[in-house]
């Protein structure tokens, strides 16, 4: 196992310190000398050598990657698939790089939904002011006016956004495996209106404002000596905190805060909101849902809150490895009976596709998705 530069430099010092501290009082002089040595190490310089700047491109071209004609992400020079361990022994940096690429992929899929699938981006809340946080969903031109059928797609939890099933599959496999695009195109070819939910877009992140800490010396009622002692303690505390921060956050990443989107602060809230403002108002006689993983839980929550309305409009629900639980979510008997008749859950299994799988929950039938991997289940359907 290889060791990072900072660990390599500091390791013998930590070992010596440990050995000395186990000794008697006669070792105090050596302890003091080593502490002095540690205090003179420039942690900023040390960590800069240990980890490159967290400054990544904001385009696929900047990463030197592109999707080929098969929808596979490939390096534009070597033709090789994406490499996570771009820098050896720098897991945090590699992870940050992967996340930066993932954000670009999200925007890329949004563009495909609009340009390749001809969906419209609809901002929510529908009555949002110009200044408040907003989210959005995607809809086909006829989503609300198609008199016959409407398809609603809900992805799972995590980093995925509208139009995605699994970021990992988009990056490591291809667009058809990891996005909802094949579902959308097939549904539209077969005459469905389409609504694509965006249940993980619950908030926006903004930089946390810096708080002004009033100095204790501003308190004129305290004796001078007491104020001076408090100021000294405060400075020492700040020095120790800054010393620790250089390890925890060596590149001084910005501190962010989350501003939640009104009535869309969770996947469950979002699903109910889209139902009330769009799906329930659609002209479609038959509404169909495809919900993956946590999306299944969100659908069950929708049923609990809008049972009569859902039963009157929804014809069938295809779940894939849904994580819903009718007991924990306290779904009533009438909901469970309806799910048994109108839902099917394709689950991870080594059995052939569509083989019945035993379930301990008294809700919908479970059948094999023909594979073990959770993120691939929608591909198998």
């Amino acid at each position: 196992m290889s060791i990072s530069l900072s660990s390599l430099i500091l390791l013998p010092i930590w070992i010596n310190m440990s050995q000395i501290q186990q000794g008697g009082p006669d070792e105090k002089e050596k302890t003091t000398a080593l502490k002095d040595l540690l205090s003179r190490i420039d942690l900023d310089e040390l960590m800069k050598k240990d980890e490159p700047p967290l400054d990544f491109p904001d385009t696929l071209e900047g990463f030197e990657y592109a999707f080929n004609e098969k929808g596979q992400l490939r390096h534009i020079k070597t033709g090789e698939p994406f490499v996570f361990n771009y820098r050896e022994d720098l897991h945090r940096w590699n992870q940050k790089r992967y996340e930066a690429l993932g954000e670009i992929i999200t925007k890329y899929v949004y563009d495909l939904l609009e340009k390749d699938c001809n969906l419209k981006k609809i901002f929510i809340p529908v009555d949002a002011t110009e200044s408040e946080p907003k989210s959005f969903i995607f809809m086909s031109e006829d989503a609300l006016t198609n008199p016959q059928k409407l398809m609603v797609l809900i992805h799972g939890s995590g980093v995925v956004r509208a139009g995605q099933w699994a970021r990992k599959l988009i990056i490591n496999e291809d667009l058809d495996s990891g996005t909802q695009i094949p579902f959308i195109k097939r549904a539209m070819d077969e005459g469905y209106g389409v609504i694509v939910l965006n249940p993980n877009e619950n908030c926006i992140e903004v930089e946390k404002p810096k708080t002004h800490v009033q100095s204790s010396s501003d308190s004129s009622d305290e004796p001078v000596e007491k104020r001076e002692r408090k100021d000294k303690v405060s400075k020492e505390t700040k020095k120790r905190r800054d010393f620790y921060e250089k390890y925890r956050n060596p590149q001084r990443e910005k501190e962010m805060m989350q501003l939640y989107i009104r009535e869309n602060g969770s996947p469950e809230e979002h699903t109910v909101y889209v139902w009330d403002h769009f799906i329930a108002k659609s002209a479609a006689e038959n509404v169909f849902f495809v919900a993956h993983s946590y999306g299944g839980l969100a659908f069950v929550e929708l049923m609990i809150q809008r049972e009569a309305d859902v039963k009157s409009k929804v014809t069938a629900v295809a779940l894939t490895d849904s994580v819903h639980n009718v007991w924990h979510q306290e779904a009533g008997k009438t909901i469970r009976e309806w799910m048994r008749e109108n839902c099917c859950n394709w689950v991870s299994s080594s059995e052939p596709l569509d083989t019945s799988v035993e379930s301990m929950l008294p809700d919908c039938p479970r059948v094999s998705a023909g594979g073990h991997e959770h993120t691939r289940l929608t591909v198998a359907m």
Side-chain angles (χ1 to χ4, degrees):
M1 180 182 72
S2 53
I3 301 175
S4 64
L5 178 62
S6 58
S7 299
L8 188 63
I9 293 172
L10 295 176
L11 184 59
I13 298 175
W14 302 138
I15 293 172
N16 287 336
M17 284 287 287
S18 176
Q19 290 173 340
I20 289 170
Q21 287 169 355
Q22 290 174 6
D26 57 329
E27 301 291 352
K28 285 185 178 179
E29 188 175 339
K30 292 180 182 179
T31 304
T32 302
L34 283 171
K35 284 183 177 178
D36 180 63
L37 175 61
L38 284 174
S39 69
R40 288 186 278 110
I41 293 175
D42 191 331
L43 288 175
D44 278 328
E45 289 302 314
L46 188 63
M47 298 306 282
K48 283 177 186 175
K49 291 174 183 175
D50 206 15
E51 182 179 70
L54 300 173
D55 184 19
F56 304 105
D58 56 6
T59 64
L60 278 179
E61 294 77 11
F63 270 94
E64 298 188 328
Y65 281 95
F67 286 99
N68 63 20
E69 66 281 355
K70 295 180 180 179
Q72 300 166 322
L73 189 67
R74 294 291 183 265
H75 196 278
I76 58 178
K77 293 180 180 177
T78 66
E80 294 295 315
F82 177 76
V83 176
F84 179 85
N85 288 315
Y86 188 76
R87 297 285 184 99
E88 289 294 330
D89 307 318
L90 292 175
H91 179 79
R92 189 180 95 109
W93 187 90
N94 288 327
Q95 181 63 34
K96 293 288 184 181
R97 174 175 174 265
Y98 179 80
E99 291 169 5
L101 177 63
E103 291 301 311
I104 297 170
I105 296 293
T106 291
K107 293 174 184 175
Y108 185 87
V109 173
Y110 287 161
D111 286 342
L112 289 179
L113 294 180
E114 291 188 280
K115 296 173 183 176
D116 202 30
C117 299
N118 297 314
L119 301 185
K120 296 187 300 180
K121 181 187 284 187
I122 307 296
F123 287 93
I124 53 176
V126 293
D127 60 345
T129 63
E130 196 168 322
S131 59
E132 75 172 295
K134 303 174 191 67
S135 180
F136 49 86
I137 59 173
F138 290 89
M139 300 197 312
S140 63
E141 195 73 39
D142 66 339
L144 302 184
T145 59
N146 189 315
Q148 296 179 326
K149 46 193 180 180
L150 172 67
M151 178 76 74
V152 181
L153 302 175
I154 316 179
H155 57 61
S157 61
V159 296
V160 290
R161 296 293 185 269
Q164 301 181 44
W165 293 128
R167 177 186 288 182
K168 176 183 175 182
L169 291 182
I170 296 173
I171 292 176
N172 297 315
E173 298 291 336
D174 54 48
L175 290 166
D176 278 357
S177 299
T179 74
Q180 298 172 350
I181 291 173
F183 284 74
I184 295 167
K185 288 185 173 179
R186 180 172 175 181
M188 295 176 77
D189 287 344
E190 296 186 10
Y192 288 80
V194 174
I195 295 181
V196 178
L197 271 62
N198 201 9
N200 293 335
E201 191 78 17
N202 309 127
C203 62
I204 62 170
E205 285 197 337
V206 296
E207 189 172 356
K208 202 171 187 180
K210 294 180 180 178
T211 55
H212 175 69
V213 180
Q214 187 177 13
S215 172
S216 61
S217 59
D218 292 343
S219 178
S220 56
D221 295 336
E222 290 182 339
V224 175
E225 289 184 3
K226 186 175 181 180
R227 289 203 306 270
E228 287 178 349
R229 284 197 304 272
K230 288 178 70 175
D231 284 346
K232 184 178 180 182
V233 170
S234 178
K235 288 175 183 178
E236 288 296 321
T237 301
K238 183 178 183 302
K239 185 178 178 182
R240 286 194 298 271
R241 186 171 61 246
D242 289 347
F243 184 87
Y244 165 72
E245 279 292 316
K246 289 177 183 179
Y247 279 104
R248 188 189 69 82
N249 192 6
Q251 300 201 42
R252 293 289 183 182
E253 294 177 71
K254 294 177 181 177
E255 286 193 60
M256 308 298 286
M257 61 184 291
Q258 296 177 329
L259 301 177
Y260 281 88
I261 296 161
R262 177 164 52 90
E263 298 181 80
N264 287 269
S266 70
E268 297 92 325
E269 273 193 4
H270 174 80
T271 303
V272 172
Y273 185 90
V274 176
W275 174 271
D276 288 344
H277 291 82
F278 299 96
I279 304 170
K281 297 178 180 179
S282 67
E285 185 178 343
N286 299 290
V287 176
F288 300 86
F289 275 78
V290 178
H292 178 56
S293 189
Y294 200 89
L297 184 149
F299 175 80
V300 172
E301 186 62 29
L302 171 65
M303 279 216 71
I304 292 169
Q305 295 194 38
R306 302 288 187 271
E307 181 178 351
D309 292 341
V310 170
K311 286 180 177 179
S312 69
K313 286 191 74 74
V314 177
T315 301
V317 181
L319 304 172
T320 59
D321 234 3
S322 173
V323 298
H324 73 273
N325 187 303
V326 291
W327 293 138
H328 293 166
Q329 293 180 259
E330 299 183 354
K333 180 181 178 181
T334 54
I335 291 176
R336 299 196 302 271
E337 290 173 348
W338 186 90
M339 290 182 67
R340 276 197 291 272
E341 295 296 322
N342 299 277
C343 300
C344 184
N345 189 12
W346 278 264
V347 298
S348 303
S349 171
S350 59
E351 295 295 323
L353 180 65
D354 290 333
T355 302
S356 180
V357 176
E358 192 174 337
S359 173
M360 296 183 67
L361 292 175
D363 48 28
C364 58
R366 288 158 50 101
V367 298
S368 172
H372 284 295
E373 192 171 343
H374 177 70
T375 54
R376 290 180 178 274
L377 296 190
T378 51
V379 182
M381 282 183 60

